[in-house]
């Protein structure tokens, strides 16, 4: 809707009750209280993480020693080096202190700081999962809007049906299928796209490098998008259907607006609100990468790192990636609350 | 010439299990500046009829007959012309207390929207007009920056009225404008509608189940039952001495304020309105009618003359007329 120029009218403004002119101070207070809640959640996660990983069965030192001949003395020495010979309480305070200093410990397997490992893998993951998210959200919302607006139409049945089928397909199966068809090639048809890693071994420089990485991204990205976009479509579709039956949509039609304008100006902005929460939650999970997709396509991201950490098992590495994912989900949820508060006037005054 | 003329208008919904006749052969006319009340229970087809006037019904609805607005048939208009007619020539007051306003748009923008859509004003002119309209309905100018949820039900209904007046239409259709408001606010909103309509010479079609409200605001009254017009005439006369037993029951369903007699003997109507897919033969009202006679289930009732300027679709009304 066309916004009217908001000329300053201090006298008239003052006539309105104070609580009905949303103040930036109220907004700040709301954001701070949400941030406080988020900090508390993060603290609980840090504490929980420590104990959960100590409760896991198996002796990390014995796991590390697998296949090697070590004397009990050597094992004790190793235990001492890792700080595992200390009492649980001491270990706990060490862990909390280290975490506060952003020291996530040293990986058992890689013998390198966990933070460095995460740093290396973060880029490729953000690239793959981030691109996947943007495409899935745009595709899902767009199809959801059109399916909901003309619900029961051929487009609705086709797009909703297709997305549901893809959603039900196991990720690894679809990934392998795409890899076979487009990566390896079937019969006389050669493989068209690379499917291992994020770049070629002899990767060129400059723009050609960008193209090389993009080519490597196609298949994992396609898999990622195909299996998740249905949820955006379905949320958007049902949310739009709910709005369309409201009286104010009929009012907008009665005002003489074009069908497209009724949809764009009235139905969609309202229907988008519930999807905001969903999208922000998904952004939170982006740093977790896509464990399955990254593993299948050997994409050097966090998901793959997490997978490796679990299969060793490498406790500090698992602990570190686990913390990273939970913290990012909590942060994004908090942001979702704040953004929702900003865009929905009804929540603002509640 | 009358501003609005309905000629044998029918609306049929096509659903999976068959056809549902919601409005059956309604003919009415409305003079410029006049006010017509349409009464009936829920399901009588009164709101469907109102929505048909601006072709706001869903795709499943098929509208027959002719709806002449200022001589132009609404039903055969091209969509571009239809959109131009909407709100600029005829606007609607919905139950704003419920969901008639977009919850996330400022009300000033919502009132200005039809002005801008129809290119009747530039943004700054529209802003001034919004202030003016808000004043007309008794709301302060700063309310333009409020959201619907910040207003009370009565205030929202005032906003709906201001919005309907925005393009200075010739006809306003008010669909249950006072439902879901408390009695005091209802009275205020009603007198506001009455006042503004008279002041601007706008024609009004008001839809309600409350005959006393309609009798108060409108000159003419049309009573609908099961998609048909069952009585039509000057509103006070129809309200005071209805000829059709259904109108009588409707009039008696609301106690007249200040008349203790009507409070002592409330007269409800038993039963439910008929299923439009299985309408009873003859007069559709006969199964619930307290004065039905043998012929009622087979006789093809029509709107027969029932006094000066009045018609009623009841054998008793016709009999009385023939006697006199």
């Amino acid at each position: 809707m066309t916004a009217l120029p908001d000329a300053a009218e201090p006298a008239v403004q003052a006539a309105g009750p104070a609580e009905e002119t949303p103040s930036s101070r109220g907004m700040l207070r709301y954001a701070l209280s949400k941030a406080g809640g988020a900090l508390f959640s993060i603290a609980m996660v840090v504490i929980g993480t420590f104990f959960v990983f100590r409760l896991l069965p198996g002796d990390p030192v014995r796991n590390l020693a697998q296949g090697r001949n070590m004397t009990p003395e050597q094992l004790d020495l190793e235990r001492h080096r890792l700080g595992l010979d200390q009492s649980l309480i001491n270990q706990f305070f060490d862990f909390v202190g280290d975490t506060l200093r952003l020291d996530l410990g040293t990986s058992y397997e890689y013998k390198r700081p966990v933070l460095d490992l995460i740093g290396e893998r973060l880029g490729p993951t953000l690239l793959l999962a981030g691109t996947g998210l943007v495409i899935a959200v745009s595709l899902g919302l767009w199809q959801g809007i059109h399916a909901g607006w003309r619900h029961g139409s051929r487009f609705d049945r086709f797009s909703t049906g297709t997305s549901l089928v893809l959603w039900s397909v196991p990720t690894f199966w679809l990934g392998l299928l795409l890899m076979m068809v487009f990566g390896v090639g079937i019969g006389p048809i050669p493989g068209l796209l690379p499917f291992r890693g994020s770049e070629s071994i002899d990767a060129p420089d400059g723009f050609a490098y960008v193209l090389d990485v993009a080519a490597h991204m196609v298949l994992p990205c396609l898999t990622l998008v195909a299996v998740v976009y249905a949820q955006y479509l379905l949320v958007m579709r049902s949310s739009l259907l709910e709005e369309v039956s409201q009286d104010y949509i009929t009012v907008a039609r009665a005002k003489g607006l074009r069908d497209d304008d009724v949809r764009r100006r009235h139905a969609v902005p309202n229907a988008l609100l519930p999807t905001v929460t969903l999208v922000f939650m998904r952004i939170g999970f982006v740093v977790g990468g896509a464990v399955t997709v990254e593993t299948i396509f050997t994409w050097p991201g966090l998901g793959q790192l997490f997978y490796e950490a679990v299969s060793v098992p490498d406790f500090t590495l698992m602990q570190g990636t686990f913390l990273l994912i939970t913290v990012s989900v909590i942060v994004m949820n908090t942001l979702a609350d704040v953004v929702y508060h900003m865009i929905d006037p009804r929540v603002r005054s509640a | 010439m009358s501003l609005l003329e309905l000629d044998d208008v029918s609306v049929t919904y096509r659903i999976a299990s068959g056809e549902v006749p919601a409005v059956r052969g309604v003919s009415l006319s409305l003079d410029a500046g006049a006010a017509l009340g349409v009464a009936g229970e829920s399901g009588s087809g009164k709101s469907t009829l109102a929505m048909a006037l601006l072709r706001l019904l869903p795709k499943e609805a098929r509208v027959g007959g002719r709806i002449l607005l200022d001589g132009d048939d609404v039903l055969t208009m091209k969509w571009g012309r239809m959109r131009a007619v909407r709100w600029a020539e005829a606007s609607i007051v919905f139950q704003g207390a419920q969901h008639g306003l977009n919850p996330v748009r400022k009300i000033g923008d919502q009132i200005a929207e039809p002005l801008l859509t129809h290119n009747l004003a530039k943004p700054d002119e529209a802003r001034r007009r919004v202030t003016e309209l808000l004043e007309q309905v008794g709301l302060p100018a700063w309310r333009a920056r409020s959201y619907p949820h910040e207003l009370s039900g009565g205030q929202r209904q005032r906003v709906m009225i201001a919005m309907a007046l925005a393009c200075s239409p010739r006809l306003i259709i008010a669909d249950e404008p006072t439902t879901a408001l408390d009695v005091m606010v209802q009275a205020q909103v009603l007198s506001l509608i009455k006042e503004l309509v008279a002041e601007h010479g706008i024609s009004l079609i008001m839809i309600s189940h409350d005959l006393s409200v309609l009798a108060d605001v409108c000159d003419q009254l049309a009573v609908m039952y099961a998609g048909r017009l069952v009585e039509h005439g000057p509103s006070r006369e129809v309200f005071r001495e209805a000829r059709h037993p259904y109108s009588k029951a409707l009039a008696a369903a609301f106690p007249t304020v200040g008349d203790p007699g009507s409070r002592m003997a409330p007269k409800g109507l038993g039963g439910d309105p008929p299923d439009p897919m299985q309408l009873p033969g003859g007069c559709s009202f006969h199964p619930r009618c307290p004065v039905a006679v043998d012929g009622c289930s087979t006789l093809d009732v029509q709107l027969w003359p029932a006094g000066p300027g009045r018609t009623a679709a009841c054998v008793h009304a016709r009999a009385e007329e023939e006697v006199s």
Side-chain angles (χ1 to χ4, degrees), chain B residues 187-234:
Chain B
Q188 286 170 9
V189 168
L190 277 178
S191 62
L192 180 70
I193 293 180
K194 228 158 89 174
E195 198 184 296
L196 288 171
V197 165
E199 193 180 313
H200 297 272
I202 300 171
S203 306
L204 176 74
I205 293 181
M206 188 148 134
I207 293 160
S208 177
H209 54 271
D210 188 337
L211 220 56
S212 61
V213 161
L214 294 177
D216 185 32
V217 178
C218 304
D219 321 312
Q220 295 277 315
L221 209 57
V223 180
M224 284 182 76
Y225 185 78
R228 275 212 172 140
L229 224 52
V230 294
E231 183 156 7
H232 181 230

Short mmCIF file of all heavy atoms in Angstrom, two decimals, chain B residues 187-234:
data_model
loop_
_atom_site.label_atom_id
_atom_site.label_comp_id
_atom_site.label_asym_id
_atom_site.label_seq_id
_atom_site.Cartn_x
_atom_site.Cartn_y
_atom_site.Cartn_z
N ALA B 187 -26.13 1.98 18.67
CA ALA B 187 -26.99 3.15 18.45
C ALA B 187 -26.19 4.31 17.87
O ALA B 187 -26.64 4.99 16.95
CB ALA B 187 -27.64 3.56 19.77
N GLN B 188 -24.97 4.51 18.40
CA GLN B 188 -24.13 5.60 17.90
C GLN B 188 -23.78 5.38 16.42
O GLN B 188 -23.90 6.30 15.60
CB GLN B 188 -22.82 5.66 18.69
CG GLN B 188 -22.96 6.23 20.08
CD GLN B 188 -21.68 6.03 20.88
OE1 GLN B 188 -20.66 5.62 20.34
NE2 GLN B 188 -21.76 6.31 22.16
N VAL B 189 -23.37 4.16 16.10
CA VAL B 189 -22.96 3.87 14.73
C VAL B 189 -24.15 4.03 13.78
O VAL B 189 -24.03 4.59 12.69
CB VAL B 189 -22.36 2.45 14.64
CG1 VAL B 189 -22.19 2.02 13.19
CG2 VAL B 189 -21.01 2.40 15.34
N LEU B 190 -25.33 3.57 14.23
CA LEU B 190 -26.52 3.69 13.39
C LEU B 190 -26.85 5.13 13.10
O LEU B 190 -27.13 5.50 11.96
CB LEU B 190 -27.71 3.02 14.08
CG LEU B 190 -27.80 1.52 13.90
CD1 LEU B 190 -28.99 0.98 14.66
CD2 LEU B 190 -27.91 1.18 12.42
N SER B 191 -26.83 5.97 14.16
CA SER B 191 -27.21 7.37 13.91
C SER B 191 -26.14 8.04 13.04
O SER B 191 -26.47 8.91 12.23
CB SER B 191 -27.41 8.12 15.23
OG SER B 191 -26.23 8.14 15.95
N LEU B 192 -24.88 7.60 13.18
CA LEU B 192 -23.82 8.14 12.33
C LEU B 192 -24.10 7.80 10.86
O LEU B 192 -24.03 8.66 9.98
CB LEU B 192 -22.47 7.56 12.76
CG LEU B 192 -21.26 8.04 11.96
CD1 LEU B 192 -20.98 9.49 12.28
CD2 LEU B 192 -20.05 7.18 12.27
N ILE B 193 -24.46 6.54 10.61
CA ILE B 193 -24.75 6.13 9.22
C ILE B 193 -25.91 6.94 8.67
O ILE B 193 -25.85 7.50 7.58
CB ILE B 193 -25.06 4.62 9.15
CG1 ILE B 193 -23.81 3.80 9.49
CG2 ILE B 193 -25.58 4.23 7.77
CD1 ILE B 193 -24.02 2.31 9.46
N LYS B 194 -26.98 7.03 9.49
CA LYS B 194 -28.18 7.74 9.07
C LYS B 194 -27.85 9.18 8.69
O LYS B 194 -28.25 9.68 7.63
CB LYS B 194 -29.17 7.76 10.26
CG LYS B 194 -30.56 7.34 9.90
CD LYS B 194 -31.31 6.87 11.12
CE LYS B 194 -32.03 7.98 11.85
NZ LYS B 194 -32.85 7.47 12.96
N GLU B 195 -27.08 9.81 9.57
CA GLU B 195 -26.73 11.21 9.41
C GLU B 195 -25.90 11.43 8.14
O GLU B 195 -26.20 12.29 7.32
CB GLU B 195 -25.90 11.57 10.64
CG GLU B 195 -25.72 13.01 10.96
CD GLU B 195 -24.78 13.09 12.16
OE1 GLU B 195 -25.15 12.59 13.25
OE2 GLU B 195 -23.66 13.60 11.99
N LEU B 196 -24.84 10.62 7.98
CA LEU B 196 -23.93 10.82 6.86
C LEU B 196 -24.61 10.54 5.53
O LEU B 196 -24.40 11.26 4.55
CB LEU B 196 -22.69 9.92 7.02
CG LEU B 196 -21.75 10.35 8.13
CD1 LEU B 196 -20.69 9.29 8.37
CD2 LEU B 196 -21.10 11.67 7.79
N VAL B 197 -25.44 9.50 5.51
CA VAL B 197 -26.12 9.15 4.28
C VAL B 197 -27.06 10.27 3.86
O VAL B 197 -27.10 10.67 2.69
CB VAL B 197 -26.88 7.82 4.47
CG1 VAL B 197 -27.89 7.62 3.37
CG2 VAL B 197 -25.91 6.66 4.50
N ALA B 198 -27.78 10.83 4.83
CA ALA B 198 -28.71 11.92 4.52
C ALA B 198 -27.94 13.16 4.08
O ALA B 198 -28.30 13.82 3.10
CB ALA B 198 -29.56 12.22 5.76
N GLU B 199 -26.86 13.44 4.79
CA GLU B 199 -26.07 14.64 4.52
C GLU B 199 -25.48 14.63 3.10
O GLU B 199 -25.46 15.63 2.41
CB GLU B 199 -24.94 14.70 5.55
CG GLU B 199 -24.20 16.01 5.63
CD GLU B 199 -23.11 15.93 6.69
OE1 GLU B 199 -23.40 15.44 7.82
OE2 GLU B 199 -21.98 16.31 6.38
N HIS B 200 -24.99 13.47 2.67
CA HIS B 200 -24.32 13.40 1.37
C HIS B 200 -25.26 12.91 0.27
O HIS B 200 -24.83 12.74 -0.86
CB HIS B 200 -23.11 12.47 1.45
CG HIS B 200 -22.05 12.95 2.38
ND1 HIS B 200 -21.05 13.79 2.00
CD2 HIS B 200 -21.85 12.73 3.70
CE1 HIS B 200 -20.27 14.06 3.03
NE2 HIS B 200 -20.74 13.43 4.08
N GLY B 201 -26.51 12.66 0.59
CA GLY B 201 -27.46 12.19 -0.41
C GLY B 201 -27.06 10.84 -1.01
O GLY B 201 -27.27 10.59 -2.18
N ILE B 202 -26.47 9.99 -0.18
CA ILE B 202 -26.04 8.68 -0.66
C ILE B 202 -27.18 7.68 -0.47
O ILE B 202 -27.90 7.72 0.52
CB ILE B 202 -24.81 8.20 0.13
CG1 ILE B 202 -23.66 9.20 -0.03
CG2 ILE B 202 -24.38 6.81 -0.29
CD1 ILE B 202 -22.49 8.93 0.88
N SER B 203 -27.33 6.78 -1.45
CA SER B 203 -28.31 5.71 -1.29
C SER B 203 -27.71 4.64 -0.39
O SER B 203 -26.50 4.44 -0.39
CB SER B 203 -28.64 5.08 -2.64
OG SER B 203 -29.04 6.09 -3.53
N LEU B 204 -28.58 3.97 0.34
CA LEU B 204 -28.09 2.98 1.30
C LEU B 204 -28.85 1.67 1.18
O LEU B 204 -30.07 1.66 1.05
CB LEU B 204 -28.26 3.54 2.73
CG LEU B 204 -27.89 2.62 3.88
CD1 LEU B 204 -26.38 2.49 4.01
CD2 LEU B 204 -28.47 3.14 5.20
N ILE B 205 -28.09 0.60 1.17
CA ILE B 205 -28.72 -0.71 1.35
C ILE B 205 -28.16 -1.27 2.63
O ILE B 205 -26.96 -1.43 2.78
CB ILE B 205 -28.39 -1.67 0.19
CG1 ILE B 205 -29.02 -1.17 -1.10
CG2 ILE B 205 -28.91 -3.07 0.50
CD1 ILE B 205 -28.76 -2.07 -2.28
N MET B 206 -29.03 -1.52 3.59
CA MET B 206 -28.54 -2.00 4.86
C MET B 206 -29.07 -3.41 5.09
O MET B 206 -30.25 -3.67 4.91
CB MET B 206 -29.00 -1.08 5.97
CG MET B 206 -28.35 -1.42 7.26
SD MET B 206 -28.13 0.07 8.21
CE MET B 206 -28.70 -0.48 9.75
N ILE B 207 -28.17 -4.26 5.49
CA ILE B 207 -28.52 -5.67 5.68
C ILE B 207 -28.44 -6.00 7.16
O ILE B 207 -27.45 -5.65 7.82
CB ILE B 207 -27.57 -6.56 4.88
CG1 ILE B 207 -27.81 -6.31 3.40
CG2 ILE B 207 -27.76 -8.02 5.22
CD1 ILE B 207 -26.68 -6.72 2.55
N SER B 208 -29.46 -6.61 7.68
CA SER B 208 -29.43 -6.97 9.10
C SER B 208 -30.46 -8.04 9.37
O SER B 208 -31.37 -8.27 8.57
CB SER B 208 -29.72 -5.73 9.95
OG SER B 208 -29.77 -6.09 11.31
N HIS B 209 -30.30 -8.71 10.51
CA HIS B 209 -31.34 -9.64 10.91
C HIS B 209 -32.31 -8.92 11.87
O HIS B 209 -33.32 -9.46 12.27
CB HIS B 209 -30.72 -10.85 11.59
CG HIS B 209 -29.82 -10.46 12.72
ND1 HIS B 209 -28.48 -10.19 12.53
CD2 HIS B 209 -30.08 -10.23 14.00
CE1 HIS B 209 -27.96 -9.83 13.69
NE2 HIS B 209 -28.91 -9.84 14.59
N ASP B 210 -31.93 -7.70 12.22
CA ASP B 210 -32.69 -6.95 13.23
C ASP B 210 -33.65 -5.98 12.54
O ASP B 210 -33.25 -4.93 12.06
CB ASP B 210 -31.69 -6.21 14.12
CG ASP B 210 -32.38 -5.57 15.32
OD1 ASP B 210 -33.59 -5.33 15.24
OD2 ASP B 210 -31.69 -5.32 16.32
N LEU B 211 -34.92 -6.36 12.51
CA LEU B 211 -35.92 -5.57 11.80
C LEU B 211 -36.08 -4.18 12.40
O LEU B 211 -36.31 -3.20 11.69
CB LEU B 211 -37.25 -6.32 11.84
CG LEU B 211 -38.08 -6.29 10.57
CD1 LEU B 211 -37.29 -6.81 9.39
CD2 LEU B 211 -39.34 -7.14 10.75
N SER B 212 -35.94 -4.08 13.72
CA SER B 212 -36.17 -2.78 14.35
C SER B 212 -35.08 -1.78 13.94
O SER B 212 -35.36 -0.61 13.71
CB SER B 212 -36.20 -2.94 15.87
OG SER B 212 -34.98 -3.44 16.34
N VAL B 213 -33.84 -2.28 13.82
CA VAL B 213 -32.74 -1.41 13.38
C VAL B 213 -33.02 -0.91 11.97
O VAL B 213 -32.90 0.28 11.67
CB VAL B 213 -31.41 -2.20 13.42
CG1 VAL B 213 -30.36 -1.52 12.56
CG2 VAL B 213 -30.92 -2.34 14.84
N LEU B 214 -33.44 -1.82 11.09
CA LEU B 214 -33.70 -1.45 9.70
C LEU B 214 -34.86 -0.47 9.60
O LEU B 214 -34.82 0.50 8.85
CB LEU B 214 -33.99 -2.70 8.87
CG LEU B 214 -32.82 -3.66 8.71
CD1 LEU B 214 -33.25 -4.89 7.92
CD2 LEU B 214 -31.65 -2.99 8.02
N ALA B 215 -35.90 -0.72 10.39
CA ALA B 215 -37.07 0.15 10.35
C ALA B 215 -36.69 1.57 10.77
O ALA B 215 -37.25 2.55 10.29
CB ALA B 215 -38.16 -0.40 11.28
N ASP B 216 -35.70 1.64 11.65
CA ASP B 216 -35.26 2.94 12.15
C ASP B 216 -34.49 3.73 11.09
O ASP B 216 -34.62 4.94 11.00
CB ASP B 216 -34.38 2.68 13.38
CG ASP B 216 -33.98 3.96 14.05
OD1 ASP B 216 -34.79 4.90 14.01
OD2 ASP B 216 -32.87 4.02 14.59
N VAL B 217 -33.69 3.04 10.29
CA VAL B 217 -32.79 3.72 9.36
C VAL B 217 -33.35 3.83 7.95
O VAL B 217 -33.11 4.80 7.25
CB VAL B 217 -31.42 3.00 9.32
CG1 VAL B 217 -30.48 3.66 8.34
CG2 VAL B 217 -30.79 2.96 10.70
N CYS B 218 -34.13 2.81 7.52
CA CYS B 218 -34.47 2.72 6.11
C CYS B 218 -35.89 3.17 5.80
O CYS B 218 -36.77 3.12 6.65
CB CYS B 218 -34.29 1.28 5.64
SG CYS B 218 -32.65 0.67 5.96
N ASP B 219 -36.10 3.56 4.53
CA ASP B 219 -37.44 3.94 4.08
C ASP B 219 -38.20 2.69 3.67
O ASP B 219 -39.39 2.55 3.94
CB ASP B 219 -37.36 4.86 2.86
CG ASP B 219 -36.23 5.85 2.96
OD1 ASP B 219 -36.11 6.48 4.04
OD2 ASP B 219 -35.44 5.97 1.99
N GLN B 220 -37.50 1.81 2.99
CA GLN B 220 -38.15 0.61 2.47
C GLN B 220 -37.52 -0.61 3.13
O GLN B 220 -36.36 -0.59 3.52
CB GLN B 220 -37.91 0.51 0.96
CG GLN B 220 -38.54 1.61 0.15
CD GLN B 220 -40.00 1.33 -0.15
OE1 GLN B 220 -40.35 0.22 -0.54
NE2 GLN B 220 -40.85 2.32 0.05
N LEU B 221 -38.32 -1.65 3.23
CA LEU B 221 -37.83 -2.85 3.87
C LEU B 221 -38.14 -4.05 2.99
O LEU B 221 -39.24 -4.16 2.45
CB LEU B 221 -38.56 -3.00 5.21
CG LEU B 221 -37.83 -3.72 6.34
CD1 LEU B 221 -36.53 -3.04 6.65
CD2 LEU B 221 -38.71 -3.71 7.58
N ALA B 222 -37.15 -4.90 2.82
CA ALA B 222 -37.37 -6.13 2.08
C ALA B 222 -36.99 -7.28 2.99
O ALA B 222 -35.92 -7.28 3.58
CB ALA B 222 -36.51 -6.15 0.82
N VAL B 223 -37.88 -8.25 3.12
CA VAL B 223 -37.61 -9.38 3.99
C VAL B 223 -37.33 -10.60 3.12
O VAL B 223 -38.09 -10.88 2.19
CB VAL B 223 -38.79 -9.65 4.93
CG1 VAL B 223 -38.48 -10.84 5.84
CG2 VAL B 223 -39.13 -8.43 5.75
N MET B 224 -36.21 -11.27 3.41
CA MET B 224 -35.86 -12.45 2.60
C MET B 224 -35.98 -13.71 3.43
O MET B 224 -35.66 -13.74 4.62
CB MET B 224 -34.43 -12.32 2.08
CG MET B 224 -34.30 -11.35 0.91
SD MET B 224 -32.61 -11.29 0.29
CE MET B 224 -32.52 -12.83 -0.61
N TYR B 225 -36.43 -14.76 2.77
CA TYR B 225 -36.45 -16.07 3.42
C TYR B 225 -36.05 -17.11 2.38
O TYR B 225 -36.62 -17.15 1.28
CB TYR B 225 -37.83 -16.39 3.99
CG TYR B 225 -37.83 -17.68 4.78
CD1 TYR B 225 -37.31 -17.71 6.07
CD2 TYR B 225 -38.31 -18.86 4.22
CE1 TYR B 225 -37.27 -18.89 6.79
CE2 TYR B 225 -38.27 -20.04 4.93
CZ TYR B 225 -37.75 -20.06 6.21
OH TYR B 225 -37.70 -21.23 6.93
N ALA B 226 -35.07 -17.93 2.73
CA ALA B 226 -34.61 -19.01 1.85
C ALA B 226 -34.33 -18.51 0.43
O ALA B 226 -34.70 -19.14 -0.54
CB ALA B 226 -35.62 -20.16 1.82
N GLY B 227 -33.70 -17.35 0.34
CA GLY B 227 -33.27 -16.86 -0.96
C GLY B 227 -34.31 -16.09 -1.73
O GLY B 227 -34.05 -15.63 -2.84
N ARG B 228 -35.51 -15.98 -1.15
CA ARG B 228 -36.58 -15.26 -1.85
C ARG B 228 -37.03 -14.06 -1.07
O ARG B 228 -36.96 -14.03 0.16
CB ARG B 228 -37.78 -16.19 -2.03
CG ARG B 228 -37.64 -17.03 -3.23
CD ARG B 228 -39.01 -17.30 -3.84
NE ARG B 228 -38.80 -17.96 -5.11
CZ ARG B 228 -39.52 -18.96 -5.57
NH1 ARG B 228 -40.54 -19.39 -4.87
NH2 ARG B 228 -39.24 -19.50 -6.73
N LEU B 229 -37.56 -13.10 -1.80
CA LEU B 229 -38.20 -11.97 -1.16
C LEU B 229 -39.57 -12.43 -0.70
O LEU B 229 -40.33 -12.99 -1.47
CB LEU B 229 -38.35 -10.86 -2.21
CG LEU B 229 -38.00 -9.44 -1.81
CD1 LEU B 229 -36.62 -9.41 -1.21
CD2 LEU B 229 -38.05 -8.56 -3.04
N VAL B 230 -39.88 -12.23 0.59
CA VAL B 230 -41.21 -12.65 1.04
C VAL B 230 -42.09 -11.45 1.39
O VAL B 230 -43.30 -11.58 1.47
CB VAL B 230 -41.16 -13.62 2.24
CG1 VAL B 230 -40.52 -14.94 1.83
CG2 VAL B 230 -40.43 -13.02 3.42
N GLU B 231 -41.46 -10.32 1.63
CA GLU B 231 -42.27 -9.13 1.87
C GLU B 231 -41.48 -7.89 1.53
O GLU B 231 -40.25 -7.83 1.72
CB GLU B 231 -42.71 -9.08 3.34
CG GLU B 231 -43.62 -7.89 3.63
CD GLU B 231 -44.52 -8.08 4.83
OE1 GLU B 231 -44.35 -9.09 5.53
OE2 GLU B 231 -45.38 -7.22 5.05
N HIS B 232 -42.18 -6.87 1.04
CA HIS B 232 -41.52 -5.64 0.65
C HIS B 232 -42.50 -4.50 0.83
O HIS B 232 -43.68 -4.63 0.52
CB HIS B 232 -41.08 -5.75 -0.82
CG HIS B 232 -40.36 -4.53 -1.29
ND1 HIS B 232 -40.67 -3.86 -2.45
CD2 HIS B 232 -39.34 -3.83 -0.74
CE1 HIS B 232 -39.87 -2.81 -2.58
NE2 HIS B 232 -39.06 -2.77 -1.56
N GLY B 233 -41.99 -3.39 1.37
CA GLY B 233 -42.88 -2.24 1.56
C GLY B 233 -42.22 -1.16 2.37
O GLY B 233 -41.04 -1.30 2.77
N PRO B 234 -42.97 -0.08 2.65
CA PRO B 234 -42.42 0.99 3.49
C PRO B 234 -42.05 0.42 4.86
O PRO B 234 -42.82 -0.35 5.43
CB PRO B 234 -43.59 1.98 3.60
CG PRO B 234 -44.47 1.67 2.45
CD PRO B 234 -44.33 0.22 2.17
#
